[in-house]
Amino acid sequence: MTRKSLPTRLAATTALLLAAGALSAPAASADPSPGDAYVLKVTTDPAATTSADRRVDVIGTVTKADGTPAPNIPVTVQEVVKFTTWNPWGDPIDPTYYEPRDLGTPVTDANGRFTIPDVTIDHTTGSSLLNVQQGVDITALYDVDGNLNTPQDGYYADTTVNANALPSSVSYRVSKKKVKSGDILTVSGRVTVPKGVQPAGTEVFLQTYWEQEYDAKTIATYNGTFVLSVRVTGYDDTFTLRTAPRDMYVAGATQQLPITNTSLPRG
């Protein structure tokens, strides 16, 4: 997955700058940090969503250092769907991929408040939902001079909306339980999703080697069935099925396969 493209610049930049201390994060108290000119806060109502109710109101405030409202302040707001980075090596890389969506740039009113009503918390692009996280971030950024290259005058806040996902499952049948290098392994099965959800389009991934996120993938049919085939290598040691439904509010399923590769070194 390659999600760190140009549209991610705001989420990625603000996250990095926040970690480096260049942006002003929302403090636990109402008091700003020394030297801060503004305090930016953002929240949502409700704080969590479900498959049946995916909308929230985004609400925020900007106040001056003395606590008085800051009117006429433009705040850039995004929804950021997050994905867990597949990383079997344990290298010190960003454990999260970000897929942001612009929600607009509301301007604070006379009371320093801004609101974006009826925001749909959902996945809106065609990218894979493999490894998607249930927590979706709402981020808010006010950059005084409008230049992200001068982050010392930027103010950042975020809140997480929990997108409660329904469970799914995957059943399977394997062509053989003992394989060797050169064999063709076929895995067939069915994806089961909650009532009212279409299984068609669910991605199914087969992993055979621990260094690969997956070695074969396919798409489930209208009734949830699928077939995957892969040629076994002499080092394949991990046989796992994973699914990624097209709906973010349906959790993927994982199933370890009872397959032994007899070509692996013994001992």
Side-chain angles (χ1 to χ4, degrees):
M1 294 182 291
T2 55
R3 295 190 177 86
K4 289 188 177 178
S5 56
L6 183 60
T8 70
R9 65 191 182 280
L10 184 57
T13 300
T14 52
L16 289 172
L17 294 174
L18 183 59
L23 291 184
S24 299
S29 68
D31 297 329
S33 300
D36 283 354
Y38 299 95
V39 176
L40 171 62
K41 295 182 179 180
V42 66
T43 188
T44 65
D45 182 22
T49 53
T50 65
S51 177
D53 188 2
R54 307 185 183 198
R55 292 182 179 272
V56 301
D57 293 339
V58 176
I59 305 161
T61 60
V62 182
T63 56
K64 298 177 184 179
D66 60 4
T68 59
N72 302 315
I73 299 295
V75 181
T76 300
V77 182
Q78 288 190 327
E79 174 199 64
V80 184
V81 179
K82 299 179 293 183
F83 300 78
T84 300
T85 303
W86 185 82
N87 175 25
W89 307 280
D91 295 334
I93 63 175
D94 191 339
T96 304
Y97 283 101
Y98 306 93
E99 190 173 285
R101 175 171 69 97
D102 290 333
L103 299 180
T105 307
V107 177
T108 58
D109 62 17
N111 296 313
R113 291 172 54 88
F114 63 90
T115 303
I116 305 178
D118 294 328
V119 172
T120 301
I121 303 298
D122 213 339
H123 180 250
T124 60
T125 75
S127 65
S128 174
L129 281 170
L130 183 64
N131 299 327
V132 69
Q133 299 179 15
Q134 289 189 11
V136 175
D137 284 351
I138 298 296
T139 66
L141 175 69
Y142 170 49
D143 191 83
V144 176
D145 65 1
N147 182 359
L148 292 179
N149 292 320
T150 58
Q152 62 271 14
D153 63 353
Y155 297 86
Y156 174 84
D158 64 11
T159 189
T160 300
V161 181
N162 190 43
N164 294 306
L166 300 170
S168 68
S169 62
V170 57
S171 59
Y172 66 88
R173 183 176 298 173
V174 296
S175 59
K176 54 184 71 177
K177 291 188 176 181
K178 288 189 176 182
V179 296
K180 63 182 184 300
S181 180
D183 284 353
I184 300 297
L185 172 66
T186 299
V187 182
S188 58
R190 183 186 298 272
V191 173
T192 301
V193 294
K195 185 177 180 181
V197 178
Q198 294 297 322
T202 297
E203 295 178 300
V204 184
F205 303 86
L206 173 62
Q207 179 191 30
T208 64
Y209 182 56
W210 71 275
E211 282 194 356
Q212 305 292 338
E213 185 172 23
Y214 59 86
D215 298 270
K217 69 175 182 178
T218 191
I219 304 294
T221 65
Y222 71 97
N223 63 356
T225 59
F226 65 88
V227 179
L228 283 163
S229 292
V230 67
R231 184 179 296 276
V232 177
T233 70
Y235 50 80
D236 286 338
D237 58 359
T238 305
F239 297 88
T240 305
L241 276 178
R242 292 187 179 89
T243 69
R246 289 294 183 184
D247 188 340
M248 191 179 74
Y249 287 84
V250 179
T254 300
Q255 191 68 252
Q256 303 291 328
L257 304 182
I259 298 172
T260 300
N261 185 356
T262 59
S263 295
L264 287 172
R266 297 184 179 181

